[in-house]
């Protein structure tokens, strides 16, 4: 497979690449390009002014994710929040299921960050996740890198963001692959 030739289509796209082609190209790139290049390219696309705001993209991906992916996304977002903010977030972000879950997170990862289970993640609305992502973005710019890495391991979620985001991601990956 000529990965360089495929990616060159996205360095300076002259016209629109058909949606089906972009999705197939992304699959090929995700499977064949170095994982760090894919992750960094997705992170760059999440930061780009050519794509919607981070919270909107997270909301869209979350709404199409399975429970395991939803939990993974939430755990990445929670790891970007400063210590001690979880207890105040439930009420600030609409309470309800989110407030109850944030107040009762049981397990933690190796760094001590509380972990959301797939069952808990299924009780949180996409809008609440958007609000949580927006909050995390204001506190830690590494959220883009954390989510870029997560999405690189779950490429179907990148495709769920739509053709324009997919095109930007492929362009950013192409730029990184070129060096």
């Amino acid at each position: 497979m000529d990965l360089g030739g495929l990616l060159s289509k996205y360095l300076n796209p002259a016209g629109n690449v058909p949606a089906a082609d972009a999705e197939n190209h992304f699959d090929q790139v995700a499977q064949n390009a170095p994982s760090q290049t894919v992750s960094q390219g997705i992170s760059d696309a999440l930061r780009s002014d050519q794509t919607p705001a981070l919270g909107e993209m997270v909301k869209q991906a979350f709404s199409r994710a399975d429970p395991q992916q939803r939990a993974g996304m939430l755990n990445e977002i929670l790891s970007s929040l400063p210590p001690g903010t979880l207890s105040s977030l439930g009420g600030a972000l609409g309470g309800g299921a989110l407030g109850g879950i944030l107040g009762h997170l049981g397990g933690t990862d190796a760094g001590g960050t509380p972990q959301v289970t797939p069952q808990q993640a299924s009780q949180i609305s996409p809008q609440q996740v958007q609000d949580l992502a927006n909050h995390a973005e204001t506190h830690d710019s590494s959220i883009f890198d954390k989510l870029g890495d997560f999405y690189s391991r779950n490429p179907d979620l990148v495709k769920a963001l739509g053709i324009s985001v997919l095109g930007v991601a492929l362009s950013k990956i192409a730029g990184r692959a070129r060096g």
Side-chain angles (χ1 to χ4, degrees):
M1 180 191 146
D2 179 17
L3 189 60
L6 184 137
L7 286 172
S8 69
K9 296 177 184 183
Y10 295 92
L11 280 173
N12 294 307
N16 292 332
V17 176
D21 288 349
E23 288 185 2
N24 289 333
H25 293 164
F26 186 79
D27 284 338
Q28 292 173 27
V29 169
Q31 292 171 10
N32 295 295
S35 61
Q36 184 175 14
T37 301
V38 175
S39 174
Q40 291 171 338
I42 294 169
S43 298
D44 292 344
L46 294 174
R47 282 186 182 92
S48 175
D49 61 0
Q50 298 173 301
T51 57
L54 179 67
E56 279 183 53
M57 291 186 285
V58 169
K59 176 183 176 180
Q60 188 170 346
F62 188 83
S63 69
R64 296 190 179 176
D66 65 37
Q68 191 72 32
Q69 292 169 323
R70 285 180 174 209
M73 289 174 64
L74 281 166
N75 289 326
E76 293 296 340
I77 294 167
L78 291 174
S79 73
S80 294
L81 296 173
T85 59
L86 290 181
S87 59
S88 64
L89 280 179
L93 298 176
L98 180 62
I101 289 168
L102 292 178
H104 295 96
L105 291 176
T108 60
D109 66 8
T113 302
Q115 295 293 286
V116 175
T117 67
Q119 182 181 15
Q120 291 169 322
S122 296
Q123 299 171 32
I124 298 174
S125 75
Q127 181 61 51
Q128 289 173 312
V129 174
Q130 178 179 358
D131 295 342
L132 190 60
N134 289 336
H135 188 77
E137 181 182 1
T138 65
H139 290 284
D140 185 1
S141 63
S142 75
I143 184 66
F144 295 99
D145 298 319
K146 291 174 181 178
L147 287 172
D149 185 56
F150 179 80
Y151 290 150
S152 73
R153 296 187 315 268
N154 295 275
D156 286 344
L157 293 178
V158 179
K159 293 190 301 186
L161 296 176
I163 190 65
S164 63
V165 175
L166 197 57
V168 172
L170 283 164
S171 174
K172 300 294 184 181
I173 293 167
R176 286 199 171 263
R178 189 172 84 174

